[in-house]
Amino acid sequence: MKIVIVGAGTAGVNAAFWLRQYGYTGEIRLLSNEAVAPYQRPPLSKAFLTSETAASTPLKSEDFYKNNNINISLNTVVVSINVERKVVSAKNGEEYTYDKLILATGANARRLTCEGSELSGVCYLRNIEDAKNLRRKLAESTSVVVLGGGVIGLEVASAAVGLGKKVTVIEAAPRVMARVVTPAAANLVRARLEVEGVEFMLNAKLTSIKGMNGHVDKCVLASGEKIQTDLIVVGIGAIPELGLAVEAALEVSNGVVVNEQMRTSDINIYAIGDCALARNPFFEAMVRLETIHNAVTQAQIVASGICGTSRPTPTPPRFWSDLKGITLQGLGALKDYDKLVVATNTKAVELEVLAYKNEILIATETINLPKRQGLLGESITMPEYQ
C-alpha cells in the first residue's frame, strides 16, 4: 500500500513517524512545498529573530527518514487531486499515486487588505523564508508596529524590544491574547511587556498604511491617530489551506471536516493539523486548533486508524509561549468555565489560574511555573468521563 502525505510540517512528519511506529511497512511519500528539510516552526518567532546566526531546527534528523524508509520530496507543490485515479499531481509535472492520502497542508497567514498593505516593510511570519525576511527587516528598523496581540504577535514584539526597537502592539480587542487565555494571564503578560518597553494600543483598528518612496512610513488608526514606523508585522490569525480539499470536492468549513479517525468525506483521504476541523473531546465541539500538541496528537490518531491499532488515549489540549522573561503555558479547554482560582506571585512574576466548571477542573494556565503545569495536567479529564 502507498501512503502520500501532502505537507511536511509537524503534522505530516509525525504522521509518517507514527505509521512506522504502529507497524506500517508500505511506501510513505512526504511532499513538501518548501526547499529545506522539515523544521520546527515555534522558534521562528523567538530566538531565530534575535540571532543573526540562528538556523532552523530540524523536526527529525536526516537519518530518521533514511532509517524509516520515508521518501521526502522537497520543492513539490501539489496542485490537484484526482480522487477517481487516486493520484496527486505536482506543479513540476510529477504524479504520485496513493492508496491513502493524508492532507497536512497547514494554514496561511491572514493578509491585510487595507490601503498600503502592499508596501515594502509589511511583513508576515509563517515559514522559514518569512522569518529570514523579518530578521533582516528587524535589523534595519528602528520602530516596529505589531498588528495583533495574539501569541505570534507578542512573541515578535518580545523579540523586537529585546533588540532595542521601539515597539507598539495594535490590538482590536480590549485585551491581548483574548481568544486563548484568561484576563488574569493576559493582564500579567501585558504588564510585564510594558515594563520591557512595549507599548499597547487596545480597542484600536488599523484603517490604512501610508508610505514614503514605496516603504512603510506610518499607520493610520480609525481614531485618526498616526503611528510613525518603518516596519509592520502582521499577526492577525491564519486561514486553513483548503485549496486541494475544495478541488477534490471534500467537505470543508473552517477547515477540512474530518471524523474521529481524521478521515474526510472521501474514505481514502485524511486531514490533520492546522487545516483540519475535528471534534475535540475536551472542547466537546468541532474545532481547528493551531498548536504543536494538536498536530502531533492528530498524526498519532490518523496513523492508528490506518494501521488498525487502538486509538490513543486523549490528552488535554495544550500550548506554550516564550515571551521576554515569561513562559506561558495553557492546558485544557478554556471554555464555559464558571469559576476561576487565581494565585499570583508578583515578586517572582509567577501566576497560576485554575478554571472550573461545576467544580471540576477543566483548564489551567501558568506563568513561569513549568513543573506545576505538569502536575496540574493529571487532574484534567474529558467532559464525558467526568
Side-chain angles (χ1 to χ4, degrees), residues 203-222:
N203 294 305
K205 183 179 179 181
L206 177 76
T207 56
S208 65
I209 302 170
K210 303 300 182 181
M212 182 176 293
N213 300 322
H215 192 83
V216 167
D217 182 59
K218 62 176 68 72
C219 295
V220 181
L221 305 184

Side-chain angles (χ1 to χ4, degrees), residues 154-225:
L154 295 191
E155 288 177 350
V156 172
S158 296
V161 80
L163 291 170
K165 311 301 179 180
K166 182 181 185 300
V167 181
T168 303
V169 174
I170 300 174
E171 170 56 50
R175 59 185 172 90
V176 298
M177 293 184 166
R179 291 180 295 176
V180 293
V181 300
T182 62
N187 292 339
L188 180 54
V189 167
R190 175 189 168 191
R192 293 307 306 171
L193 291 182
E194 284 178 332
V195 169
E196 297 294 339
V198 178
E199 181 180 351
F200 289 88
M201 303 189 70
L202 305 179
N203 294 305
K205 183 179 179 181
L206 177 76
T207 56
S208 65
I209 302 170
K210 303 300 182 181
M212 182 176 293
N213 300 322
H215 192 83
V216 167
D217 182 59
K218 62 176 68 72
C219 295
V220 181
L221 305 184
S223 64
E225 187 170 356

Side-chain angles (χ1 to χ4, degrees), residues 19-345:
L19 283 165
R20 291 298 188 225
Q21 288 293 107
Y22 286 133
Y24 173 75
T25 58
E27 181 180 328
I28 298 176
R29 170 72 63 174
L30 265 171
L31 305 179
S32 173
N33 61 5
E34 297 193 66
V36 296
Y39 54 88
Q40 297 181 24
R41 294 183 186 271
L44 298 184
S45 55
K46 304 179 183 73
F48 188 91
L49 297 179
T50 58
S51 171
E52 293 182 4
T53 59
S56 59
T57 305
L59 272 170
K60 302 287 185 182
S61 68
E62 289 185 21
D63 288 344
F64 164 78
Y65 303 100
K66 180 180 179 180
N67 294 341
N68 287 279
N69 194 23
I70 296 169
N71 302 303
I72 182 166
S73 300
L74 302 178
N75 279 319
T76 302
V77 179
V78 176
V79 294
S80 66
I81 304 170
N82 187 316
V83 296
E84 287 79 21
R85 294 175 53 218
K86 293 186 182 178
V87 171
V88 295
S89 299
K91 188 176 182 180
N92 61 10
E94 293 290 330
E95 291 189 338
Y96 303 90
T97 60
Y98 66 85
D99 293 292
K100 301 294 182 184
L101 174 65
I102 301 173
L103 298 179
T105 51
N108 299 311
R110 189 181 299 276
R111 315 288 290 192
L112 286 179
T113 57
C114 66
E115 175 193 344
S117 59
E118 299 304 318
L119 287 168
S120 171
V122 177
C123 296
Y124 299 83
L125 181 56
R126 196 68 193 177
N127 57 40
I128 187 70
E129 291 306 315
D130 291 339
K132 289 178 179 178
N133 177 57
L134 180 54
R135 184 165 62 182
R136 288 192 298 268
K137 298 289 187 182
L138 278 171
E140 300 166 356
S141 70
T142 56
S143 177
V144 181
V145 165
V146 177
L147 186 60
V151 173
I152 296 297
L154 295 191
E155 288 177 350
V156 172
S158 296
V161 80
L163 291 170
K165 311 301 179 180
K166 182 181 185 300
V167 181
T168 303
V169 174
I170 300 174
E171 170 56 50
R175 59 185 172 90
V176 298
M177 293 184 166
R179 291 180 295 176
V180 293
V181 300
T182 62
N187 292 339
L188 180 54
V189 167
R190 175 189 168 191
R192 293 307 306 171
L193 291 182
E194 284 178 332
V195 169
E196 297 294 339
V198 178
E199 181 180 351
F200 289 88
M201 303 189 70
L202 305 179
N203 294 305
K205 183 179 179 181
L206 177 76
T207 56
S208 65
I209 302 170
K210 303 300 182 181
M212 182 176 293
N213 300 322
H215 192 83
V216 167
D217 182 59
K218 62 176 68 72
C219 295
V220 181
L221 305 184
S223 64
E225 187 170 356
K226 297 179 176 64
I227 304 171
Q228 204 78 26
T229 184
D230 50 17
L231 179 62
I232 298 175
V233 185
V234 183
I236 54 175
I239 301 173
E241 177 50 65
L242 303 179
L244 290 175
V246 171
E247 193 267 345
L250 304 180
E251 182 182 358
V252 299
S253 180
N254 177 33
V256 185
V257 179
V258 296
N259 66 7
E260 67 280 357
Q261 291 185 324
M262 301 294 118
R263 182 180 284 132
T264 71
S265 52
D266 184 304
I267 195 172
N268 297 307
I269 303 178
Y270 301 78
I272 57 175
D274 291 2
C275 72
L277 182 68
R279 184 181 185 278
N280 186 288
F282 290 89
F283 281 92
E284 298 183 284
M286 297 288 287
V287 294
R288 191 176 62 83
L289 300 177
E290 298 172 14
T291 66
I292 297 298
H293 175 265
N294 184 66
V296 174
T297 297
Q298 291 186 349
Q300 190 175 6
I301 291 172
V302 74
S304 68
I306 290 174
C307 295
T309 61
S310 298
R311 179 185 168 94
T313 301
T315 57
R318 65 184 63 211
F319 80 94
W320 75 91
S321 179
D322 291 320
L323 305 168
K324 194 166 178 57
I326 296 173
T327 297
L328 169 65
Q329 295 171 282
L331 186 66
L334 196 65
K335 173 189 175 187
D336 299 333
Y337 56 85
D338 52 35
K339 183 174 76 171
L340 290 178
V341 178
V342 181
T344 306
N345 181 350

